[in-house]
DNA sequence: TCTGGGGTCCTAGGACCC
DNA sequence: TCTGGGGTCCTAGGACCC
């Protein structure tokens, strides 16, 4: 634990839903659920309006549909849009300190002590956090965040959780235990359903209860590493550093099918497709790996993995696929599979093949698809069902009607609302699904024309004029 | 129409080596 | 000639996080 409250944690509020409401004016103030929109989808983020009806992250989308009123928007994720907004926020954080550790698209830690000339008194960091929140809202078109500041990552994260949404909590040095001990143990990172259940069985409900347990008791209950971790956290002992560049350990792709699959030819093609994605991402990040893992989820939700370690690292899709296909015959397909996954771990920096064979390009396969930003989607964004041309929430562009987004589709029709972040609520038109004037669009820009923001990577996509 | 997708870390047993 | 001890690698599974 540090002497000063110099660790800041930022958590953007209902982030995916907030970006949707920014970009889709007709959804502002209304319940929005972002996640898988297929029969087996789950909720990634529910707006606060949707949470009022009981929609929650990780709930099945079917359950959320039952809970939310008609008119609730159920949208697939738009990773590129979230990524662009996240980049703007992370750039603002890096103005505070070079030590910024993103935990996901919508969450990051900042080590303020590594920044230049911050006043680290309680009043100083409070003012800093307030100004940060203002700048984030201004730069993102109104996305808000909750901020916690404390003497450790633990206390900063606890703080950001205390007043959501749009919160600001500084835990003054010395006040850690007073803040921590009344909270339920489940607020500690690392206490999930299984650990919580075991703790409840021995009478532990609050962090104070946890602090009363001995180290040997906790180790017996949760294992060596986890038990001693809990013992320390209950005492607010946390010296984890803010690490700006975490090394990637594995790359994987997986897919849950709309219906269970049994056909080996179809399963083989799925493996090929996933291996292609994994290989492409490995090469894009200049990694290769030795261990190929196949993940299988059966019709009854039992999950098994089979892996094989190669003598040499690979980033070649065909080799990854061929190993994975062999592993599938090992795992078996009886009864049908609801999910397949392909992964590569044991990564090393790209150093494969014959170094002296000039011009040899290890891992280039026949397909020459380019890397799309969406393909880096190593985040909690549900991919739209493969093969569907239109999906709810999707950005589209009509040659006569302009930019808009897909509200619904079916029966050869697609319903589009023509609006953008800088327009008022727009009008709805139902078009033929094969309307030649309609095409997939880019994420709209939420900033007025001419306005720029520090740190954003401009890839020359949509301009404000296009959005109207 | 139960239960996503992309990750990290830990544990435990067996093989193998010195 | 009755039984070592430590270390690393590999495989599989589980808990957890966002």
């Amino acid at each position: 634990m540090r002497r000063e409250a110099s660790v800041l944690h930022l958590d953007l509020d209902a982030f995916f839903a907030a970006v949707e409401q920014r970009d889709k004016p007709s959804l502002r103030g209304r319940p929005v659920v972002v996640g898988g929109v297929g029969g087996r989808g789950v909720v990634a983020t529910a707006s606060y309006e949707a949470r009022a009806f009981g929609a929650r992250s990780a709930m099945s989308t079917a359950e959320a549909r039952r809970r939310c009123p008609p008119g609730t928007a159920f949208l697939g994720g738009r990773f590129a849009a979230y990524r662009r907004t996240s980049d703007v926020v992370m750039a603002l954080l890096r103005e505070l300190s070079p030590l910024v550790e993103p935990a996901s698209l919508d969450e990051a830690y900042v080590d303020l002590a590594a920044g230049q000339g911050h006043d680290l008194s309680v009043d100083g960091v409070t003012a800093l956090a307030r100004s940060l929140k203002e700048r984030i809202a201004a730069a993102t078109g109104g996305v808000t965040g909750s901020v916690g500041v404390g003497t450790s990552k633990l206390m900063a994260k606890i703080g950001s959780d205390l007043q959501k949404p749009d919160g600001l909590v500084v835990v003054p040095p010395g006040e850690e235990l007073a803040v921590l001990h009344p909270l339920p143990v489940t607020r500690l990172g690392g206490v999930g359903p299984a650990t919580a259940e075991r703790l409840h069985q021995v009478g532990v409900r609050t962090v104070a209860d946890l602090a009363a347990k001995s180290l040997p008791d906790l180790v017996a209950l949760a294992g060596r590493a986890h038990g001693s971790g809990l013992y320390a956290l209950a005492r607010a002992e946390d010296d984890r550093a803010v690490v700006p560049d975490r090394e990637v350990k594995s790359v994987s792709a997986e897919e849950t099918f709309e219906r269970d699959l049994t056909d080996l030819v179809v399963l083989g093609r799925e493996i090929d497709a996933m291996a292609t994605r994994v290989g492409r991402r490995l090469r894009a990040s200049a990694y290769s790996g030795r261990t190929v893992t196949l993940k299988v989820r059966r019709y009854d939700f039992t999950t098994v993995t089979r892996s094989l370690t190669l003598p040499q690292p690979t980033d070649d899709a065909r080799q990854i696929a061929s190993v994975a296909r062999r592993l599938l015959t090992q795992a078996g397909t009886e009864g049908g599979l609801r999910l397949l996954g392909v992964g590569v771990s044991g990564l090393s920096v790209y150093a494969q093949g014959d170094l002296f064979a000039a011009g040899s390009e290890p891992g280039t396969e026949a397909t020459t698809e380019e890397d799309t930003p969406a393909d880096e989607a190593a985040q909690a964004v549900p991919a739209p069902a493969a093969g569907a041309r239109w999906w709810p929430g999707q950005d589209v562009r009509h040659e006569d009607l302009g930019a808009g987004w897909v509200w619904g589709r079916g029966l050869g029709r697609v319903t589009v609302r023509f609006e953008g972040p800088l327009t008022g609520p727009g009008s709805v038109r139902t078009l033929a699904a094969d309307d030649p004037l309609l095409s997939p669009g880019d994420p709209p820009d939420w900033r007025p024309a001419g306005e720029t923001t520090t740190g954003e990577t401009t890839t020359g996509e949509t301009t404000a004029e296009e959005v109207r």
Side-chain angles (χ1 to χ4, degrees):
Chain A
M1 205 198 308
R2 308 171 176 211
R3 280 229 201 75
E4 295 163 315
S6 57
V7 181
L8 181 148
H9 181 255
L10 168 72
D11 193 339
L12 298 170
D13 302 316
F15 180 54
F16 301 165
V19 170
E20 296 303 339
Q21 289 176 323
R22 176 197 67 197
D23 291 349
K24 299 173 167 67
S26 59
L27 299 185
R28 294 173 193 165
R30 294 180 43 195
V32 174
V33 174
V34 180
V37 292
R40 288 172 166 178
V42 303
V43 175
T45 308
S47 73
Y48 278 85
E49 297 87 348
R51 291 182 198 189
F53 295 100
R56 293 285 181 278
S57 292
M59 172 183 284
S60 78
T61 301
E63 174 68 19
R65 282 187 201 277
R66 280 192 289 270
R67 294 185 183 223
C68 290
T72 300
F74 287 87
L75 309 174
R78 293 184 303 132
F79 177 79
Y82 310 148
R83 173 62 172 268
R84 279 166 60 176
T85 299
S86 177
D87 285 347
V88 168
V89 173
M90 297 299 167
L92 289 175
L93 296 181
R94 288 191 187 96
E95 290 178 10
L96 297 178
S97 166
L99 290 190
V100 173
E101 179 181 331
S104 65
L105 280 184
D106 65 342
E107 225 181 275
Y109 294 92
V110 184
D111 187 340
L112 297 175
Q116 293 284 315
H118 296 305
D119 169 7
L120 296 178
S121 68
V122 169
D123 287 348
V125 295
T126 303
L128 179 151
R130 190 170 295 132
S131 128
L132 172 67
K133 279 159 57 75
E134 284 167 10
R135 280 179 289 138
I136 288 172
T140 59
V143 174
T144 63
S146 295
V147 173
V149 189
T151 50
S152 63
K153 280 181 155 180
L154 168 69
M155 295 316 303
K157 169 113 178 158
I158 292 283
S160 71
D161 214 33
L162 284 176
Q163 276 182 11
K164 282 181 178 178
D166 203 14
L168 167 47
V169 173
V170 176
V171 180
E175 296 295 309
E176 290 83 3
L177 295 184
V179 170
L180 210 50
H181 278 187
L183 298 175
V185 269
T186 49
R187 297 283 277 275
L188 297 178
V191 180
T195 308
E197 175 56 28
R198 263 178 281 173
L199 288 171
H200 285 173
Q201 277 171 9
V202 296
V204 173
R205 301 206 164 254
T206 66
V207 180
D209 297 336
L210 184 66
K213 291 291 175 189
S214 72
L215 178 57
D217 279 355
L218 293 182
V219 169
L221 194 101
R224 219 169 68 91
H226 201 189
S228 45
L230 291 176
Y231 185 82
L233 290 186
R235 287 161 180 70
E237 287 164 11
D238 174 22
D239 57 3
R240 290 172 296 168
V242 176
V243 183
D245 296 301
R246 294 203 166 268
E247 210 155 338
V248 178
K249 301 279 174 65
S250 67
V251 173
S252 67
E254 64 181 56
E255 188 183 342
T256 295
F257 310 117
E258 285 292 317
R259 286 179 197 74
D260 294 352
L261 297 183
T262 49
D263 186 335
L264 276 175
V265 175
V266 176
L267 289 167
R269 277 201 291 262
E270 294 288 345
I271 284 177
D272 291 347
M274 288 186 277
T276 297
R277 278 187 272 158
V278 168
R280 194 194 298 143
R281 281 166 49 204
L282 284 171
R283 292 190 298 279
S285 52
Y287 279 111
S288 54
R290 288 180 56 214
T291 303
V292 176
T293 301
L294 179 80
K295 176 174 168 182
V296 161
R297 178 121 71 207
R298 305 188 195 282
Y299 67 98
D300 60 358
F301 218 73
T302 56
T303 306
V304 301
T305 61
R306 291 292 177 271
S307 63
L308 180 73
T309 300
L310 303 165
Q312 300 295 331
T314 185
D315 59 10
D316 180 82
R318 283 168 309 192
Q319 187 176 13
I320 296 165
S322 112
V323 173
R325 280 167 172 266
R326 261 181 286 154
L327 293 171
L328 178 62
T329 65
Q330 251 186 53
T333 60
E334 297 72 31
L337 304 185
R338 65 177 285 139
L339 170 145
L340 269 184
V342 173
V344 173
S345 58
L347 302 186
S348 50
V349 173
Y350 189 83
Q352 187 203 20
D354 184 351
L355 295 175
F356 300 98
S360 83
E361 281 283 307
T364 22
E365 71 240 48
T367 50
T368 54
E369 301 145 274
E370 60 186 272
D371 298 309
T372 64
D375 196 59
E376 298 165 14
Q379 306 291 337
V381 182
R389 179 155 158 78
W390 308 116
W391 46 273
Q394 182 181 18
D395 292 307
V396 293
R397 172 154 193 83
H398 190 277
E399 284 189 22
D400 295 335
L401 300 166
W405 57 277
V406 173
W407 170 261
R409 82 290 200 212
L411 299 174
R413 296 270 193 276
V414 55
T415 302
V416 177
R417 192 181 280 276
F418 290 96
E419 63 181 2
L422 303 174
T423 73
S427 59
V428 168
R429 295 286 292 271
T430 294
L431 308 161
D434 59 358
D435 187 329
L437 300 183
L438 189 69
S439 57
D442 294 319
D445 200 320
W446 65 90
R447 290 156 299 199
E451 189 179 319
T452 60
T453 310
T454 22
E456 199 206 357
T457 47
T458 45
T459 46
E461 288 170 334
T462 317
T463 65
E465 299 91 71
E466 284 176 274
V467 179
R468 294 178 311 159

